[in-house]
């Protein structure tokens, strides 16, 4: 099958590397998605292991359609019965951009009718009870090019299941994982988040350090599908548990701090729920009090901005503290996401790299200040 790992704009290269690390062949990388080859086991493994992708879809077909008749005929030609059983529930969603077919309700209606007609022919029934597992088909039309996909994930991959306490404007788990991966930090180095909020970045770092599959403790919609043998889910979950690396095998440390006691409490609740307390040192503290004691440490942080923004004075205090940390030990690197366009000026240096990313609907920049090699 052709599978698609969808991605937030700007994270396609990160998701591609994750897919490749699972051993699957990449077909192509486009804005917002990475297409790769895989079988039923690949659906299971990619849902369990992809850290930065939004969801995993099966690509059912791709074709040109400028009329409803073309959409109907080509949708009917697909082997839907291979994936949707006689009692399967299915819904159709739609998005359309710059296409002659531009009315989503009509597109959804035609596509569902086509799938029903195909299933009537395949199963020899006129009516379907739809009492079984859920199947969501998406019709995406861009410049008259139709892509039909079926979602295998259900709730987005960022729904790890550990977020039980929150602060204002928390960072998405998948984005937090990508920030850690883009820092090229590893479990043998120190990682510090001095503005940890509800603890998402340290938790995602701990999952990486412990080689813990991010989807290990949640359920996916395709677990109930008949064409994927349930034994695959059991096998891959067991393999994932066996692959975990304990905290005492990690030479580095993950340090989470925040000046706000409410944030520290939220972080503690989430860390406990995620089961990664052994990997993270959490405390309340001001960033100005932090002194680097290890070489080649990495700061990865979601700075206050947008809904989380503090006073101008507080923001400048954070920037000055980051400057002093790097001055105290030039081997330290700083990776910070913010919507503030003045960060480089405040840091007194140009970032080695900048990456435009979206935190929800807010455009941000991920500034990467590399430390000196030692």
């Amino acid at each position: 099958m052709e599978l698609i790992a969808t991605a937030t704009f700007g994270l396609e290269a990160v998701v591609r590397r994750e897919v490749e690390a699972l051993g699957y062949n990449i077909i192509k990388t486009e804005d917002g998605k990475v297409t790769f080859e895989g079988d039923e086991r690949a659906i299971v493994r990619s849902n369990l292991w992809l850290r930065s992708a939004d969801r995993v879809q099966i690509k059912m077909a791709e074709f040109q359609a400028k009329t409803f008749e073309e959409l109907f005929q080509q949708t009917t030609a697909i082997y839907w019965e291979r994936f949707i059983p006689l009692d399967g529930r299915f819904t159709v969603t739609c998005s359309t951009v710059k296409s002659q077919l531009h009315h989503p309700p009509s597109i959804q209606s035609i596509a569902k009718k086509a799938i029903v007609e195909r299933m009537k022919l395949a199963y020899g029934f006129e009516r379907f009870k739809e009492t079984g597992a859920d199947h969501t088909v998406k019709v995406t039309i861009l410049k008259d090019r139709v892509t039909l996909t079926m979602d295998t994930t259900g709730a987005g991959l960022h729904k790890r299941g550990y977020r039980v306490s929150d602060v204002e404007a928390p960072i998405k788990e998948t984005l937090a994982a990508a920030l850690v991966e883009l820092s090229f930090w590893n479990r043998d180095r120190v990682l510090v988040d001095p503005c940890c909020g509800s603890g998402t970045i340290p938790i995602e770092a701990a999952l990486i350090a412990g080689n813990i599959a991010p989807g290990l403790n949640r359920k996916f919609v395709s677990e109930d599908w008949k064409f994927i043998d349930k034994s695959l889910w059991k096998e891959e979950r067991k393999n994932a548990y066996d692959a975990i690396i304990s905290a005492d095998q990690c030479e580095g440390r993950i340090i989470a701090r925040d000046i706000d006691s409410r944030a520290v409490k939220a972080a503690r609740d989430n860390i406990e729920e995620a089961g990664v307390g052994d990997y993270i040192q959490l405390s309340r503290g001001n960033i100005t009090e932090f002194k680097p004691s290890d070489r080649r440490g990495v700061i990865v942080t979601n700075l206050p901005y947008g809904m989380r923004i503090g006073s101008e004075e507080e923001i400048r205090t954070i920037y000055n503290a980051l400057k002093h940390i790097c001055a105290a030990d030039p081997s330290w690197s700083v990776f910070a996401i913010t919507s503030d366009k003045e960060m480089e000026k405040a840091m007194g240096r140009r970032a080695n790299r900048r990456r435009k990313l979206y935190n929800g609907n807010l455009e941000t920049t991920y500034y990467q200040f590399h430390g000196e090699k030692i």
Side-chain angles (χ1 to χ4, degrees):
M1 292 176 285
E2 286 191 26
L3 303 178
I4 296 174
T6 64
T8 300
F9 179 80
L11 297 183
E12 296 89 351
V14 179
V15 172
R16 180 188 177 105
R17 285 198 292 269
E18 291 180 7
V19 172
E20 288 176 329
L22 290 176
Y24 299 117
N25 179 52
I26 303 294
I27 297 172
K28 59 181 173 180
T29 303
E30 306 166 89
D31 286 349
K33 61 183 181 180
V34 176
T35 304
F36 60 103
E37 293 176 332
D39 55 9
E40 289 87 346
R41 190 179 294 274
I43 292 173
V44 176
R45 294 188 70 223
S46 54
N47 272 301
L48 286 173
W49 282 100
L50 291 181
R51 301 182 187 277
S52 303
D54 291 328
R55 57 183 61 251
V56 179
Q57 303 170 330
I58 301 171
K59 183 177 177 181
M60 303 298 296
E62 188 173 2
F63 52 82
Q64 199 82 3
K66 297 182 179 181
T67 67
F68 285 123
E69 181 63 21
E70 290 175 334
L71 175 64
F72 179 83
Q73 292 297 339
Q74 295 188 81
T75 302
T76 307
I78 298 167
Y79 295 98
W80 295 103
E81 67 276 11
R82 178 184 172 193
F83 301 92
I84 305 176
L86 181 60
D87 65 346
R89 281 198 303 266
F90 66 95
T91 56
V92 179
T93 63
C94 170
S95 66
T96 177
V97 178
K98 298 179 181 178
S99 300
Q100 293 189 43
L101 297 178
H102 55 78
H103 188 242
S106 298
I107 294 167
Q108 289 169 235
S109 177
I110 293 294
K112 176 140 190 175
K113 182 180 177 182
I115 297 170
V116 169
E117 288 302 313
R118 174 72 197 199
M119 291 179 67
K120 284 180 181 179
L121 289 170
Y123 291 115
F125 283 82
E126 286 296 313
R127 293 182 178 275
F128 302 94
K129 294 181 179 180
E130 295 195 47
T131 56
D134 289 315
H135 302 74
T136 299
V137 176
K138 184 169 184 181
V139 184
T140 304
I141 310 179
L142 174 62
K143 298 179 180 177
D144 300 323
R145 191 73 185 168
V146 178
T147 304
L148 293 174
T149 57
M150 188 181 295
D151 176 48
T152 73
T153 302
L157 289 175
H158 71 283
K159 296 284 189 179
R160 316 285 207 223
Y162 63 71
R163 194 190 290 277
V164 294
S165 296
D166 248 330
V167 294
E168 285 187 336
I171 193 169
K172 210 172 177 181
E173 294 88 334
T174 45
L175 177 57
L179 300 185
V180 175
E181 291 189 70
L182 286 167
S183 75
F184 295 102
W185 169 81
N186 63 61
R187 67 178 63 91
D188 297 328
R189 297 172 66 184
V190 174
L191 181 144
V192 180
D193 183 355
C195 308
C196 73
S198 58
T200 310
I201 290 175
I203 291 171
E204 291 299 322
L207 294 177
I208 292 170
N211 197 39
I212 302 168
L216 194 53
N217 296 313
R218 58 158 288 178
K219 185 175 173 62
F220 302 94
V221 69
S222 52
E223 288 187 57
D224 294 326
W225 289 3
K226 291 184 178 179
F227 92 93
I228 300 178
D229 196 310
K230 290 188 182 299
S231 66
L232 292 181
W233 290 97
K234 291 180 181 178
E235 289 174 17
E236 289 303 325
R237 279 202 163 91
K238 181 183 184 302
N239 292 340
Y241 276 113
D242 291 344
I244 292 174
I245 296 170
S246 64
D248 57 15
Q249 294 177 272
C250 305
E251 293 185 18
R253 293 174 295 148
I254 300 169
I255 300 171
R257 296 163 65 99
D258 204 287
I259 196 171
D260 187 339
S261 59
R262 293 172 303 172
V264 173
K265 181 184 181 306
R268 183 172 290 111
D269 291 343
N270 294 335
I271 289 168
E272 181 178 338
E273 186 67 22
V276 292
D278 291 343
Y279 299 84
I280 300 171
Q281 298 174 14
L282 173 67
S283 63
R284 183 185 178 191
N286 195 317
I287 188 174
T288 59
E289 301 166 353
F290 180 77
K291 301 291 187 293
S293 57
D294 299 85
R295 305 307 304 274
R296 296 182 65 247
V298 177
I299 291 174
V300 181
T301 191
N302 177 26
L303 293 175
Y305 62 89
M307 289 175 63
R308 296 176 66 235
I309 197 162
S311 68
E312 184 70 20
E313 182 180 350
E314 289 171 335
I315 302 300
R316 297 303 147 191
T317 298
I318 293 172
Y319 288 152
N320 286 332
L322 293 175
K323 283 177 63 177
H324 289 150
I325 290 169
C326 293
D329 189 337
S331 71
W332 274 64
S333 299
V334 173
F335 295 81
I337 186 170
T338 178
S339 60
D340 186 0
K341 303 296 184 183
E342 300 296 316
M343 183 175 185
E344 288 174 304
K345 181 178 178 182
M347 289 286 289
R349 58 184 279 201
R350 290 181 64 82
N352 296 87
R353 291 199 65 182
R354 298 172 215 81
R355 184 183 290 262
K356 184 167 76 171
L357 298 172
Y358 284 88
N359 188 6
N361 293 323
L362 187 62
E363 182 182 323
T364 64
T365 302
Y366 191 38
Y367 292 100
Q368 304 173 44
F369 300 92
H370 299 166
E372 294 179 3
K373 294 183 179 180
I374 57 172

